[in-house]
Amino acid sequence: MLWIMAQDKERISHVIEVSISGKKIMGVGSAGLNEWGNLLGKYDSKERAMEVLEDIHRTIANSSQFAITYTMPTD
């Protein structure tokens, strides 16, 4: 279970997938049979977005907890 605090700090989302779209990092979640997508963060370059995605991956890989939390960097 992955919970992510959005870059703007205005919401926390339970996500099942995280992906990059250009300079944006998007989260996908589900509620019953419905899927939704949210912008989790927007960065100055695709390279920076990739760095943040890699950090999310490291956080997941290094955790032995069932529930993982991650806060999107502001820069």
Side-chain angles (χ1 to χ4, degrees):
M1 183 179 304
L2 177 60
W3 292 91
I4 297 184
M5 168 83 73
Q7 186 181 37
D8 63 9
K9 309 285 191 260
E10 292 185 7
R11 76 183 164 285
I12 298 172
S13 300
H14 173 229
V15 298
I16 57 174
E17 180 180 317
V18 179
S19 62
I20 291 179
S21 176
K23 299 176 186 180
K24 299 175 184 175
I25 297 182
M26 305 298 293
V28 174
S30 68
L33 298 176
N34 299 318
E35 284 194 351
W36 50 262
N38 278 335
L39 174 66
L40 299 173
K42 184 175 179 183
Y43 296 94
D44 290 336
S45 67
K46 183 172 183 171
E47 291 76 21
R48 177 61 180 142
M50 288 294 297
E51 289 173 0
V52 173
L53 184 64
E54 289 170 7
D55 190 45
I56 293 169
H57 178 258
R58 273 191 302 279
T59 300
I60 295 167
N62 293 330
S63 177
S64 60
Q65 303 297 315
F66 174 72
I68 301 166
T69 59
Y70 184 83
T71 301
M72 298 298 287
T74 56
D75 62 345

